[in-house]
């Protein structure tokens, strides 16, 4: 499915596309006129935006000539290299572009992009952009592997940005290591695959009603105590955000989390499994339902309305089963509806997930094991396997939750036909 860049027709994908190419101040900037030439040959409209330091390595005249457009540097039109026009150019460009590419991306620019600084034209365009971001880091090896740079790249990935890893080889410092900007031909291909992926996903859930559940539930023992679990809600929120980005009308039923609600998504906050069940029932005829919530399987049978006082002896708590919301949905599903469940296992993940597919009558089970590297509770990445009723079982590598969300939705869209 996704990630299959082999069969991509680069020229066909790129023809007529619009790219903002951000060039930042590293020695590898000397490769960018070649990249721009390749893009222009593929009939891409390229707007180059440079930082002031980039102009020390490659001139605006060179990039302006090969791109056939004035190069932009400053936000305000009266600055040197501003290229004239209105001072809202950064907003217009952010809406104009199909893809924002930053190549080479220095450690400094990566930090600025990660933290939302916008003191120059490039970082301002990046904040205003609604299109995907592709970052091509290029710097000395030690700067690249430094935890600060890696953490900044992780922030960008977590927000759905694409990071093209640098090549390994001889660096400007004379050292050998990771940090070389890939060759323009390789960047061109990565640009094409990024555009292809975003074009395929754009609006493919348009007009669909998608219900997502997320987070843990809280089952009261008494007014001050409850039973819950470690779910952070990040996976469900990422799915809600991704579905919204793909044009769906999204309702997110969320247990207690401390995540900001995704813009444009209707959020219903609940506490207990019973409340979640009630809210899900209101939306049970949605086109797609993704039960990412970690719903409690048991709740205290007789919660006390007063705080329970301790006694000298041991205590016990009688528990009763909660309703299985997913099983309820599986029994009543209407034709054409796509139902996705989650499973969390610490052993024999695939075997348990296969059983769950059948038992709960769902189309897909997304299973993860929180003891695996990259799949821990509360993290920004996940490592899942997606099992489908058709028998397909895809074990995905560790990836940001934003990407896992799109992988799940790619399969949902496929099933919706
Ligand atoms: N689920 C639900 N209602 C519940 C419990 C779970 O809808 N009361 C949903 C979850 O949202 C998830 C899936 O069912 O999509 C998880 O299934 P479950 O059987 O609870 O799995 P685990 O708790 O992971 O596994 P088990 O109890 O079998 O160990």
């Amino acid at each position: 499915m996704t990630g299959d860049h082999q069969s991509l027709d680069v020229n066909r994908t790129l023809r007529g596309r619009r790219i903002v190419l951000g060039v930042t101040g590293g020695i590898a900037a000397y490769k960018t006129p070649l990249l721009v030439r390749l893009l222009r040959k593929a009939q891409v409209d390229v707007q180059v935006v440079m930082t002031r330091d980039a102009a020390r390595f490659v001139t605006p005249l060179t990039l302006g000539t090969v791109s056939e457009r004035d190069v932009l540097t400053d936000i305000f039109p009266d600055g040197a290299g501003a290229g004239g026009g209105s001072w809202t150019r950064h907003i217009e460009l952010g809406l104009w572009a199909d893809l924002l590419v930053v190549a080479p991306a220095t450690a400094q620019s990566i930090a600025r992009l990660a933290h939302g600084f916008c003191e120059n034209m490039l970082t301002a365009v990046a904040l205003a952009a609604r299109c995907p971001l592709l970052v091509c880091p290029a710097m000395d090896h030690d700067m690249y592997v430094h935890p600060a740079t890696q953490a900044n790249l992780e922030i960008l990935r977590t927000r759905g940005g694409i990071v093209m890893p640098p090549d390994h080889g001889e660096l400007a410092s004379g050292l050998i290591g990771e940090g070389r900007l890939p060759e323009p031909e390789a960047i061109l291909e990565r640009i094409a695959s990024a555009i292809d992926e975003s074009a395929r996903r754009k609006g493919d859930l348009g007009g669909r009603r998608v219900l997502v559940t997320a987070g843990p539930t809280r089952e009261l023992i008494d007014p001050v105590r409850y039973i819950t679990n470690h779910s952070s809600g990040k996976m469900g929120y990422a799915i809600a955000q991704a579905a919204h980005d793909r044009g769906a009308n999204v309702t997110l039923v969320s247990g207690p989390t401390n995540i900001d609600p995704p813009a444009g998504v209707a959020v219903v906050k609940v506490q207990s499994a019973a409340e979640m069940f009630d809210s899900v029932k209101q939306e049970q005829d949605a086109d797609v339902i993704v039960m990412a919530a970690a719903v409690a399987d048991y709740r205290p049978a007789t919660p006390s309305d007063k705080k329970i006082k301790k006694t000298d002896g041991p205590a016990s708590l009688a528990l009763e089963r909660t309703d299985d919301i997913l099983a309820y949905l599986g029994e009543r599903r209407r034709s054409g509806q796509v139902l996705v469940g989650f499973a969390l296992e610490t052993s024999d993940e695939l075997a348990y997930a296969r059983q769950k597919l059948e038992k709960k009558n769902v189309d897909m089970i997304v299973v993860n094991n929180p003891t695996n590297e990259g799949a821990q509770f509360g993290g920004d990445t996940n490592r899942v396997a997606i099992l489908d009723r058709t028998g397909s079982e895809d074990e995905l590598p560790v990836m940001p939750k934003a990407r896992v969300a799109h992988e799940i939705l790619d399969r949902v869209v496929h099933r919706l036909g």
Side-chain angles (χ1 to χ4, degrees):
M1 292 190 84
T2 52
D4 176 18
H5 308 319
Q6 308 308 320
S7 55
L8 189 69
D9 182 337
V10 172
N11 282 316
R12 225 178 83 194
T13 307
L14 291 178
R15 193 176 309 133
R17 298 293 182 176
R18 299 189 288 216
I19 286 179
V20 169
L21 175 64
V23 181
T24 72
I27 180 65
Y30 81 87
K31 292 184 181 173
T32 53
L34 293 170
L35 175 61
V36 174
R37 268 190 51 116
L38 289 176
L39 287 165
R40 293 295 298 134
K41 266 193 178 167
Q43 297 178 40
V44 177
D45 214 346
V46 187
Q47 174 63 63
V48 176
V49 180
M50 301 176 82
T51 62
R52 285 181 168 269
D53 284 341
R56 295 166 180 250
F57 296 95
V58 58
T59 71
L61 183 62
T62 307
L63 284 168
T65 306
V66 285
S67 67
E68 299 166 78
R69 275 175 171 266
D70 285 337
V71 169
L72 303 173
T73 304
D74 295 311
I75 302 181
F76 297 102
D78 54 353
S86 95
W87 76 272
T88 54
R89 275 303 280 279
H90 55 296
I91 309 290
E92 288 150 25
L93 278 176
L95 298 176
W96 172 84
D98 294 310
L99 184 70
L100 169 59
V101 182
V102 185
T106 58
Q108 168 76 315
S109 293
I110 290 167
R112 287 189 172 129
L113 292 169
H115 296 282
F117 289 96
C118 60
E119 78 294 0
N120 62 37
M121 187 58 146
L122 173 58
T123 45
V125 171
L127 276 192
R130 294 197 185 161
C131 62
L133 168 71
L134 168 63
V135 176
C136 304
M139 64 198 76
D140 191 61
H141 173 85
D142 293 302
M143 295 173 77
Y144 176 65
V145 298
H146 193 283
T149 304
Q150 289 302 316
N152 287 331
L153 288 170
E154 196 53 36
I155 290 174
L156 295 177
R157 282 196 205 95
T158 302
R159 289 206 293 257
I162 304 163
V163 177
M164 183 176 188
D167 284 348
H168 187 277
E170 203 172 315
L171 302 167
S173 60
L175 299 172
I176 308 246
E178 270 174 299
R180 278 174 68 89
L181 186 70
E183 293 308 315
E185 291 76 10
I187 300 177
L188 186 83
E189 282 206 13
R190 193 63 191 89
I191 288 173
S193 67
I195 285 186
D196 175 61
E197 194 173 273
S198 98
R200 272 190 294 111
R201 288 170 171 171
K202 200 174 202 165
D204 61 4
L205 282 171
R208 300 289 191 173
R209 279 176 51 216
V210 175
L211 169 66
V212 183
T213 66
T217 62
R218 280 182 188 168
E219 310 302 327
L220 288 187
I221 299 170
D222 67 20
V224 294
R225 303 178 178 102
Y226 52 79
I227 297 174
T228 190
N229 57 64
H230 285 301
S231 168
S232 67
K234 285 183 179 176
M235 193 61 246
Y237 277 63
I239 295 167
Q241 177 74 64
H244 169 73
D245 292 346
R246 294 168 81 145
N249 212 325
V250 185
T251 302
L252 173 64
V253 177
S254 170
T257 69
N258 49 21
I259 314 174
D260 290 333
V265 168
V267 182
V268 182
K269 283 279 201 178
V270 298
Q271 296 278 325
S272 64
E275 283 174 26
M276 186 168 277
F277 194 17
D278 285 344
S279 298
V280 167
K281 278 185 193 155
Q282 309 287 318
E283 297 284 331
Q284 71 182 66
D285 60 340
D287 299 300
V288 179
I289 303 182
V290 184
M291 284 292 303
V295 189
D297 291 322
Y298 290 93
R299 67 177 154 234
T302 49
S304 167
D305 53 7
K306 290 200 182 64
K307 186 181 167 216
I308 300 169
K309 301 297 285 179
K310 61 178 165 296
T311 57
D312 287 340
S316 66
L317 191 61
L319 299 176
E320 65 180 16
R321 283 290 302 268
T322 56
D323 292 304
D324 189 323
I325 306 171
L326 187 57
Y328 167 93
L329 295 169
E331 275 168 30
R332 288 161 185 78
R333 53 187 302 166
R334 62 171 173 79
S335 90
Q337 185 179 49
V338 177
L339 208 50
V340 182
F342 268 67
L344 187 141
E345 308 288 353
T346 50
S347 65
D348 303 318
E349 297 94 307
L350 295 183
Y352 283 126
R354 275 177 217 127
Q355 286 171 13
K356 227 155 262 181
L357 260 179
E358 289 300 323
K359 213 172 107 200
K360 301 207 185 190
N361 190 28
V362 296
D363 296 287
M364 260 176 264
I365 288 283
V366 182
V367 59
N368 72 330
N369 180 341
T371 64
N372 282 338
E373 181 90 12
Q376 290 91 344
F377 283 113
D380 291 320
T381 58
N382 206 350
R383 183 174 149 195
V384 303
I386 305 178
L387 284 74
D388 191 288
R389 269 192 104 70
T390 58
S392 82
E393 300 187 353
D394 295 335
E395 292 184 65
L396 305 180
V398 175
M399 52 176 83
K401 285 182 174 168
R403 280 193 71 81
V404 176
H406 279 297
E407 289 287 341
I408 295 167
L409 294 177
D410 285 346
R411 289 158 178 83
V412 165
V413 168
H414 187 71
R415 281 200 83 88
L416 283 168

